[in-house]
Amino acid sequence: MLDTKWKIAIIVCWAIFSMQQHACAQKIRATQMVISFYSKAPLEDIDATNNQGVSAIDMATSKIAFVVPIIGFEFKNGLMQEHFNENYLESDQYPKATYAGDLIHFDPEKKGVQKVSTKGVLTIHGQSQSIEAKGTMERKGSEWHLICQFSVKLEDYDIEVPKLMFQKIAETISIDLQATYPLQ
């Protein structure tokens, strides 16, 4: 038979486990995420894709966050990828981009497609800016799917483009994000 100390320890462990289960049920993490960007310029269009980001949503508060490793962006042109990491985004010095904000007009109880927006702070290249983006959240079975588009100006993030390259790189970059969040 268990003595009183063991009974108390089991009850405390069970209570902690129950609280953690409840807290975890409020947060969902993306299992798949794709971020791509596109730059239309007179001489050459530039696009890249990154599948290495992570994201989480707190369903109770509608807070959303992303962390994206800069070096994870893949280009069709290897030289372009090298210049991106070494000369423009300086990924050794600034290895990640982050976003933290709020999902607006999001109802976690509603099924189907919802038009949402998000307001928060995007940090790229060591510079933080408030941004607002529009998109959709769609509940399909036991998953939420986020699709979002927004633009960033290079100068807002202190990303300098050499004068010789101004016809190859647009000043504003279009970003598309897709993420899948399974329900716990």
Side-chain angles (χ1 to χ4, degrees):
M1 187 155 248
L2 294 174
D3 66 13
T4 306
K5 285 193 291 186
W6 283 108
K7 287 179 184 175
I8 292 171
I10 290 170
I11 291 170
V12 168
C13 287
W14 179 82
I16 290 170
F17 177 76
S18 295
M19 288 187 305
Q20 286 177 337
Q21 289 285 41
H22 179 69
C24 289
Q26 299 297 321
K27 293 182 177 83
I28 57 176
R29 288 174 177 67
T31 54
Q32 298 175 329
M33 190 163 93
V34 178
I35 297 176
S36 58
F37 69 80
Y38 180 74
S39 167
K40 179 146 183 75
L43 294 180
E44 185 174 20
D45 294 342
I46 300 170
D47 61 344
T49 302
N50 188 326
N51 297 310
Q52 297 178 21
V54 294
S55 175
I57 299 173
D58 184 324
M59 300 299 274
T61 63
S62 294
K63 298 282 185 195
I64 188 167
F66 296 92
V67 177
V68 179
I70 297 301
I71 201 158
F73 282 99
E74 295 181 8
F75 294 72
K76 294 173 188 163
N77 177 327
L79 185 58
M80 202 177 281
Q81 186 165 332
E82 185 179 322
H83 286 277
F84 172 82
N85 282 297
E86 292 177 6
N87 302 332
Y88 302 115
L89 273 287
E90 301 172 286
S91 59
D92 286 345
Q93 187 174 355
Y94 307 105
K96 63 187 176 193
T98 61
Y99 175 79
D102 296 298
L103 275 174
I104 301 163
H105 308 297
F106 174 59
D107 180 355
E109 301 300 319
K110 185 178 174 184
K111 294 185 179 185
V113 178
Q114 300 178 47
K115 288 186 179 184
V116 295
S117 61
T118 181
K119 289 183 182 179
V121 176
L122 176 64
T123 302
I124 302 172
H125 199 239
Q127 303 297 312
S128 298
Q129 298 290 328
S130 294
I131 68 162
E132 191 172 334
K134 297 189 183 306
T136 59
M137 285 288 286
E138 181 176 9
R139 172 104 181 249
K140 291 182 183 176
S142 62
E143 296 179 330
W144 280 104
H145 296 270
L146 171 65
I147 298 174
C148 182
Q149 301 83 30
F150 59 99
S151 297
V152 295
K153 289 184 178 181
L154 296 179
E155 68 182 354
D156 288 348
Y157 297 93
D158 200 25
I159 300 168
E160 294 181 24
V161 178
K163 293 192 187 298
L164 294 173
M165 299 298 290
F166 80 95
Q167 289 190 328
K168 284 193 172 189
I169 301 173
E171 294 177 21
T172 301
I173 308 297
S174 299
I175 299 175
D176 290 308
L177 181 141
Q178 296 180 26
T180 300
Y181 303 86
L183 297 171
Q184 308 280 328

